[in-house]
Tab-separated table of all heavy atoms in Angstrom:
chain	number	residue	atom	x	y	z
A	258	TYR	N	7.602	-11.731	12.857
A	258	TYR	CA	7.508	-11.390	11.464
A	258	TYR	C	7.568	-9.882	11.230
A	258	TYR	O	7.004	-9.132	12.029
A	258	TYR	CB	6.189	-11.894	10.829
A	258	TYR	CG	5.969	-13.371	10.907
A	258	TYR	CD1	5.361	-13.969	12.017
A	258	TYR	CD2	6.333	-14.165	9.831
A	258	TYR	CE1	5.161	-15.311	12.086
A	258	TYR	CE2	6.137	-15.583	9.871
A	258	TYR	CZ	5.539	-16.124	10.980
A	258	TYR	OH	5.322	-17.474	11.045
A	259	CYS	N	8.209	-9.455	10.211
A	259	CYS	CA	8.030	-8.041	9.770
A	259	CYS	C	7.115	-8.007	8.620
A	259	CYS	O	6.917	-8.954	7.861
A	259	CYS	CB	9.393	-7.437	9.395
A	259	CYS	SG	10.350	-8.191	8.082
A	260	ALA	N	6.373	-6.843	8.539
A	260	ALA	CA	5.354	-6.698	7.524
A	260	ALA	C	5.358	-5.258	7.007
A	260	ALA	O	5.808	-4.366	7.698
A	260	ALA	CB	3.950	-7.012	8.143
A	261	ALA	N	4.803	-5.085	5.807
A	261	ALA	CA	4.768	-3.760	5.186
A	261	ALA	C	3.556	-3.628	4.317
A	261	ALA	O	2.994	-4.590	3.821
A	261	ALA	CB	6.028	-3.531	4.373
A	262	ARG	N	3.114	-2.366	4.128
A	262	ARG	CA	2.078	-2.056	3.202
A	262	ARG	C	2.239	-0.577	2.810
A	262	ARG	O	2.791	0.235	3.587
A	262	ARG	CB	0.700	-2.297	3.795
A	262	ARG	CG	0.308	-1.396	4.953
A	262	ARG	CD	-1.170	-1.257	5.054
A	262	ARG	NE	-1.676	-0.493	3.929
A	262	ARG	CZ	-2.926	-0.643	3.482
A	262	ARG	NH1	-3.740	-1.515	4.028
A	262	ARG	NH2	-3.337	0.089	2.451
A	263	GLU	N	1.725	-0.209	1.688
A	263	GLU	CA	1.814	1.177	1.288
A	263	GLU	C	0.853	1.954	2.204
A	263	GLU	O	-0.185	1.456	2.621
A	263	GLU	CB	1.328	1.333	-0.162
A	263	GLU	CG	2.336	0.758	-1.135
A	263	GLU	CD	1.992	1.047	-2.546
A	263	GLU	OE1	1.773	2.230	-2.905
A	263	GLU	OE2	1.923	0.100	-3.389
A	264	ILE	N	1.223	3.184	2.573
A	264	ILE	CA	0.436	3.951	3.486
A	264	ILE	C	-0.906	4.362	2.863
A	264	ILE	O	-0.981	4.482	1.664
A	264	ILE	CB	1.174	5.180	3.997
A	264	ILE	CG1	1.551	6.148	2.862
A	264	ILE	CG2	2.423	4.798	4.775
A	264	ILE	CD1	2.109	7.447	3.331
A	265	VAL	N	-1.860	4.556	3.733
A	265	VAL	CA	-3.151	5.051	3.334
A	265	VAL	C	-3.115	6.533	3.533
A	265	VAL	O	-2.908	7.014	4.644
A	265	VAL	CB	-4.266	4.405	4.158
A	265	VAL	CG1	-5.624	5.009	3.771
A	265	VAL	CG2	-4.292	2.872	3.960
A	266	PRO	N	-3.339	7.324	2.498
A	266	PRO	CA	-3.304	8.783	2.654
A	266	PRO	C	-4.237	9.294	3.735
A	266	PRO	O	-5.366	8.861	3.787
A	266	PRO	CB	-3.684	9.307	1.271
A	266	PRO	CG	-3.346	8.214	0.341
A	266	PRO	CD	-3.555	6.950	1.108
A	267	GLY	N	-3.737	10.117	4.566
A	267	GLY	CA	-4.528	10.730	5.642
A	267	GLY	C	-4.639	9.874	6.881
A	267	GLY	O	-5.245	10.319	7.927
A	268	ARG	N	-4.083	8.699	6.873
A	268	ARG	CA	-4.128	7.858	8.057
A	268	ARG	C	-2.794	7.927	8.777
A	268	ARG	O	-1.774	7.519	8.241
A	268	ARG	CB	-4.428	6.397	7.667
A	268	ARG	CG	-4.532	5.454	8.833
A	268	ARG	CD	-4.945	4.070	8.426
A	268	ARG	NE	-5.091	3.149	9.523
A	268	ARG	CZ	-5.446	1.883	9.438
A	268	ARG	NH1	-5.797	1.411	8.257
A	268	ARG	NH2	-5.573	1.128	10.498
A	269	GLY	N	-2.788	8.509	9.933
A	269	GLY	CA	-1.548	8.700	10.663
A	269	GLY	C	-1.036	7.452	11.389
A	269	GLY	O	0.152	7.177	11.364
A	270	ARG	N	-1.960	6.747	12.000
A	270	ARG	CA	-1.500	5.581	12.823
A	270	ARG	C	-1.247	4.402	11.891
A	270	ARG	O	-1.946	4.157	10.921
A	270	ARG	CB	-2.634	5.218	13.812
A	270	ARG	CG	-2.201	4.194	14.845
A	270	ARG	CD	-3.331	3.895	15.820
A	270	ARG	NE	-4.410	3.179	15.152
A	270	ARG	CZ	-5.486	2.723	15.763
A	270	ARG	NH1	-5.616	2.920	17.067
A	270	ARG	NH2	-6.446	2.121	15.097
A	271	PRO	N	-0.206	3.625	12.223
A	271	PRO	CA	0.044	2.439	11.385
A	271	PRO	C	-1.109	1.428	11.561
A	271	PRO	O	-1.733	1.383	12.647
A	271	PRO	CB	1.330	1.886	11.927
A	271	PRO	CG	1.431	2.423	13.311
A	271	PRO	CD	0.794	3.771	13.283
A	272	PRO	N	-1.338	0.626	10.559
A	272	PRO	CA	-2.403	-0.451	10.682
A	272	PRO	C	-1.991	-1.416	11.826
A	272	PRO	O	-0.826	-1.671	12.042
A	272	PRO	CB	-2.354	-1.154	9.336
A	272	PRO	CG	-1.808	-0.112	8.410
A	272	PRO	CD	-0.785	0.636	9.227
A	273	LEU	N	-2.997	-1.906	12.479
A	273	LEU	CA	-2.779	-2.743	13.695
A	273	LEU	C	-3.011	-4.229	13.434
A	273	LEU	O	-2.620	-5.027	14.274
A	273	LEU	CB	-3.685	-2.262	14.836
A	273	LEU	CG	-3.605	-0.767	15.243
A	273	LEU	CD1	-4.435	-0.570	16.441
A	273	LEU	CD2	-2.169	-0.399	15.504
A	274	TRP	N	-3.697	-4.566	12.357
A	274	TRP	CA	-4.123	-5.965	12.152
A	274	TRP	C	-3.370	-6.602	11.030
A	274	TRP	O	-3.040	-5.974	10.029
A	274	TRP	CB	-5.608	-6.012	11.891
A	274	TRP	CG	-6.388	-5.326	12.943
A	274	TRP	CD1	-6.987	-4.089	12.882
A	274	TRP	CD2	-6.622	-5.792	14.312
A	274	TRP	NE1	-7.570	-3.789	14.075
A	274	TRP	CE2	-7.346	-4.813	14.956
A	274	TRP	CE3	-6.284	-6.988	14.979
A	274	TRP	CZ2	-7.762	-4.963	16.272
A	274	TRP	CZ3	-6.688	-7.122	16.268
A	274	TRP	CH2	-7.418	-6.140	16.917
A	275	ALA	N	-3.102	-7.890	11.167
A	275	ALA	CA	-2.254	-8.614	10.218
A	275	ALA	C	-2.874	-8.580	8.815
A	275	ALA	O	-2.080	-8.463	7.810
A	275	ALA	CB	-2.089	-10.050	10.630
A	276	ASP	N	-4.211	-8.641	8.702
A	276	ASP	CA	-4.812	-8.688	7.347
A	276	ASP	C	-4.756	-7.342	6.674
A	276	ASP	O	-5.137	-7.213	5.470
A	276	ASP	CB	-6.195	-9.217	7.403
A	276	ASP	CG	-7.146	-8.394	8.247
A	276	ASP	OD1	-6.743	-7.332	8.745
A	276	ASP	OD2	-8.311	-8.858	8.449
A	277	GLU	N	-4.216	-6.298	7.333
A	277	GLU	CA	-4.058	-4.985	6.688
A	277	GLU	C	-2.737	-4.885	6.001
A	277	GLU	O	-2.442	-3.901	5.327
A	277	GLU	CB	-4.236	-3.882	7.731
A	277	GLU	CG	-5.624	-3.823	8.358
A	277	GLU	CD	-5.725	-2.624	9.290
A	277	GLU	OE1	-5.320	-2.815	10.481
A	277	GLU	OE2	-6.161	-1.563	8.912
A	278	TYR	N	-1.849	-5.841	6.228
A	278	TYR	CA	-0.511	-5.802	5.668
A	278	TYR	C	-0.391	-6.687	4.465
A	278	TYR	O	-0.909	-7.822	4.488
A	278	TYR	CB	0.564	-6.149	6.690
A	278	TYR	CG	0.749	-5.015	7.696
A	278	TYR	CD1	-0.085	-4.874	8.808
A	278	TYR	CD2	1.732	-4.047	7.476
A	278	TYR	CE1	0.067	-3.866	9.691
A	278	TYR	CE2	1.877	-2.976	8.377
A	278	TYR	CZ	1.049	-2.890	9.438
A	278	TYR	OH	1.213	-1.859	10.329
A	279	GLU	N	0.277	-6.253	3.413
A	279	GLU	CA	0.324	-6.975	2.168
A	279	GLU	C	1.587	-7.835	2.024
A	279	GLU	O	1.579	-8.857	1.387
A	279	GLU	CB	0.300	-5.985	0.995
A	279	GLU	CG	0.181	-6.609	-0.369
A	279	GLU	CD	-0.024	-5.600	-1.469
A	279	GLU	OE1	-0.084	-4.401	-1.173
A	279	GLU	OE2	-0.117	-6.025	-2.652
A	280	TYR	N	2.642	-7.382	2.623
A	280	TYR	CA	3.929	-8.035	2.427
A	280	TYR	C	4.493	-8.555	3.770
A	280	TYR	O	4.407	-7.868	4.784
A	280	TYR	CB	4.948	-7.088	1.788
A	280	TYR	CG	4.436	-6.484	0.524
A	280	TYR	CD1	4.066	-5.142	0.473
A	280	TYR	CD2	4.358	-7.229	-0.670
A	280	TYR	CE1	3.551	-4.562	-0.686
A	280	TYR	CE2	3.906	-6.686	-1.825
A	280	TYR	CZ	3.513	-5.364	-1.854
A	280	TYR	OH	3.069	-4.769	-3.009
A	281	TRP	N	5.054	-9.751	3.748
A	281	TRP	CA	5.519	-10.404	4.933
A	281	TRP	C	6.885	-11.086	4.722
A	281	TRP	O	7.217	-11.544	3.631
A	281	TRP	CB	4.549	-11.484	5.381
A	281	TRP	CG	3.254	-10.930	5.862
A	281	TRP	CD1	2.150	-10.642	5.091
A	281	TRP	CD2	2.893	-10.617	7.189
A	281	TRP	NE1	1.190	-10.115	5.891
A	281	TRP	CE2	1.598	-10.137	7.176
A	281	TRP	CE3	3.586	-10.688	8.401
A	281	TRP	CZ2	0.917	-9.699	8.311
A	281	TRP	CZ3	2.936	-10.298	9.571
A	281	TRP	CH2	1.606	-9.787	9.498
A	282	GLY	N	7.673	-11.097	5.797
A	282	GLY	CA	8.870	-11.897	5.815
A	282	GLY	C	8.567	-13.317	6.192
A	282	GLY	O	7.390	-13.660	6.496
A	283	GLN	N	9.596	-14.168	6.270
A	283	GLN	CA	9.411	-15.559	6.581
A	283	GLN	C	9.365	-15.894	8.048
A	283	GLN	O	8.963	-16.995	8.448
A	283	GLN	CB	10.493	-16.405	5.883
A	283	GLN	CG	11.831	-16.472	6.659
A	283	GLN	CD	12.614	-15.183	6.684
A	283	GLN	OE1	12.318	-14.248	5.942
A	283	GLN	NE2	13.630	-15.137	7.556
A	284	GLY	N	9.773	-14.918	8.858
A	284	GLY	CA	9.713	-15.099	10.317
A	284	GLY	C	11.075	-15.534	10.891
A	284	GLY	O	11.887	-16.177	10.242
A	285	THR	N	11.261	-15.190	12.147
A	285	THR	CA	12.457	-15.585	12.933
A	285	THR	C	12.031	-15.980	14.308
A	285	THR	O	11.203	-15.266	14.947
A	285	THR	CB	13.522	-14.510	12.928
A	285	THR	OG1	14.714	-14.979	13.551
A	285	THR	CG2	13.039	-13.230	13.636
A	286	GLN	N	12.499	-17.101	14.819
A	286	GLN	CA	12.053	-17.605	16.097
A	286	GLN	C	12.810	-16.881	17.219
A	286	GLN	O	14.060	-16.795	17.211
A	286	GLN	CB	12.355	-19.129	16.180
A	286	GLN	CG	12.033	-19.739	17.548
A	286	GLN	CD	10.540	-19.800	17.869
A	286	GLN	OE1	9.771	-20.194	17.015
A	286	GLN	NE2	10.157	-19.446	19.079
A	287	VAL	N	12.100	-16.463	18.228
A	287	VAL	CA	12.668	-15.922	19.457
A	287	VAL	C	12.148	-16.807	20.594
A	287	VAL	O	10.942	-16.990	20.768
A	287	VAL	CB	12.200	-14.423	19.705
A	287	VAL	CG1	12.653	-13.981	21.066
A	287	VAL	CG2	12.790	-13.558	18.596
A	288	THR	N	13.088	-17.341	21.378
A	288	THR	CA	12.740	-18.181	22.508
A	288	THR	C	13.385	-17.577	23.759
A	288	THR	O	14.608	-17.361	23.776
A	288	THR	CB	13.233	-19.612	22.315
A	288	THR	OG1	12.641	-20.141	21.101
A	288	THR	CG2	12.862	-20.502	23.478
C-alpha cells in the first residue's frame, strides 16, 4: 500500500506507523 499525510512541522523523519497516515491506496499484490 502507498500512504500519505501532511507533514508535521519540525519533524524530519517520516512517520513510521500505519495509524499516523491519513490517506491510503487500495493495495497491489506482490507474490
